[in-house]
């Protein structure tokens, strides 16, 4: 048997090792769930679509319905909760090439709780009232000398938050009281001269309901007077 040089055997073994490595790499699928230093491009009217384990749509990013017209697709964003309810949208339901897409955040019942204004910009929802200017001189505040609850201020309100914050200034003799009513029911504690009334309480009315606010006052000592002035009334989160 002929003698084979040792260096030739080593070279054959190296070639066999390289062939095995090449065959192994050819049968191995590279990872498809990681992008490092690159980007994903979806074009030609395409979109990214994410579905839940129950095969329900969760996210649309890219083309969304309806199209702006027969030639122009609408590009936007639609995000749903895993129960199917809309949570966030950047789209318009109007098949109009010039329609502006509002950004909207919705609660689980489908109420739009945050949105931008598509005409002049800024905030569309929630509606935020300005504080109403009132007399600075306590002598000009609404007052009563009655020993029974008397309504001094009344007005409507639109419920947009689950809780209510209220501050009422009060001035007068000792023993005077002020309180806040919503649709005829007292909300929170009773206040009085000096500290006034400050409260943060849960609203009983549903979102979007119109309610009536009343500020009432009374004196516990006949012959004395109590005056009050609402300072602020606005909604808060849970």
């Amino acid at each position: 048997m002929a003698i084979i040089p040792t260096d030739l055997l080593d070279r054959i073994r190296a070639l066999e090792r390289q062939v095995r490595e090449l065959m192994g790499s050819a049968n191995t699928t590279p990872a498809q769930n990681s992008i490092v230093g690159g980007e994903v491009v979806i074009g030609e009217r395409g979109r990214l679509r994410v579905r839940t384990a129950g095969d329900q749509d969760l996210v649309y990013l890219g083309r969304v319905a309806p199209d702006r017209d027969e030639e122009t697709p609408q590009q936007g964003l639609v995000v749903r909760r895993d129960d199917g309810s809309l949570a966030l949208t950047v789209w318009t339901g109007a098949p109009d090439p010039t329609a502006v897409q509002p950004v909207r955040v919705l609660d689980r019942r489908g109420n739009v709780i945050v949105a931008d204004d598509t005409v002049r910009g800024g905030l569309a929802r929630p509606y935020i009232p300005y504080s109403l200017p009132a007399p600075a001189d306590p002598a000009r505040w609404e007052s009563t000398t009655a020993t029974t609850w008397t309504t001094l201020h009344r007005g409507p309100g639109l419920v947009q938050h689950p809780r209510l914050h209220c501050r009422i200034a009060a001035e007068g003799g000792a023993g005077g009281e002020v309180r806040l009513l919503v649709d005829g029911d007292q909300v929170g504690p009773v206040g009085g001269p000096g500290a006034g009334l400050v409260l943060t309480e849960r609203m009983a009315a549903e979102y979007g309901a119109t309610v009536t606010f009343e500020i009432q006052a009374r004196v516990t000592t006949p012959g004395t007077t109590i005056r009050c002035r609402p300072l602020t009334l606005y909604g808060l989160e849970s």
Side-chain angles (χ1 to χ4, degrees):
M1 180 177 179
I3 299 174
I4 301 176
T6 303
D7 60 339
L8 183 58
L9 291 174
D10 292 339
R11 295 177 66 181
I12 292 174
R13 295 189 187 97
L15 287 172
E16 290 176 341
R17 185 176 66 253
Q18 292 174 7
V19 170
R20 286 195 299 270
E21 292 174 351
L22 286 173
M23 292 179 65
S25 63
N27 294 325
T28 302
T29 302
Q32 302 291 320
N33 59 357
S34 178
I35 299 173
V36 180
E39 62 183 20
V40 175
V41 178
I42 301 176
E44 295 298 328
R45 304 187 179 189
R47 65 186 172 202
L48 173 66
R49 187 176 182 182
V50 180
R51 311 206 80 187
T52 67
D55 205 32
Q56 300 295 318
D57 291 327
L58 191 66
V59 176
Y60 277 108
L61 177 60
R63 187 176 184 178
V64 293
D67 290 336
R68 293 190 176 276
D69 56 37
E70 294 182 357
E71 302 296 331
T72 309
Q74 180 182 184
Q75 305 293 315
L77 170 67
V78 177
V79 179
R80 295 181 181 273
R81 300 177 180 85
D82 59 5
D83 63 1
S85 61
L86 284 173
L88 171 67
T89 64
V90 184
W91 73 298
T92 175
D96 183 349
T98 62
V100 178
Q101 293 177 317
V103 178
R104 292 174 176 164
V105 178
L106 301 90
D107 66 11
R108 289 183 177 274
R109 298 183 179 182
N111 297 309
V112 178
I113 55 177
V114 178
D116 62 341
D117 190 273
T118 59
V119 178
R120 300 188 62 184
L123 190 64
R125 290 194 180 183
Y127 305 139
I128 301 177
Y130 295 105
S131 297
L132 297 177
D137 183 0
R140 299 182 60 194
W141 297 357
E142 293 296 324
S143 64
T144 184
T145 59
T147 56
T148 57
W149 287 112
T150 304
T151 299
L152 301 183
H153 300 270
R154 180 189 291 116
L158 182 63
V159 177
Q160 301 181 85
H161 302 84
R163 289 198 302 165
L164 171 73
H165 180 72
C166 175
R167 295 178 64 92
I168 300 172
E171 188 270 342
E177 296 178 325
V178 294
R179 68 177 184 176
L180 175 69
L181 275 62
V182 178
D183 283 345
D185 296 324
Q186 180 175 323
V187 177
V190 170
L197 175 61
V198 181
L199 63 86
T200 301
E201 298 289 338
R202 185 171 298 276
M203 292 289 290
E206 294 293 326
Y207 175 88
T210 299
V211 297
T212 299
F213 295 107
E214 289 183 84
I215 298 174
Q216 294 186 336
R218 70 178 180 182
V219 297
T220 56
T221 303
T224 59
T225 301
I226 183 170
R227 298 178 176 85
C228 66
R229 168 191 169 186
L231 299 178
T232 188
L233 189 65
Y234 58 86
L236 292 176
E237 74 281 3
S238 296

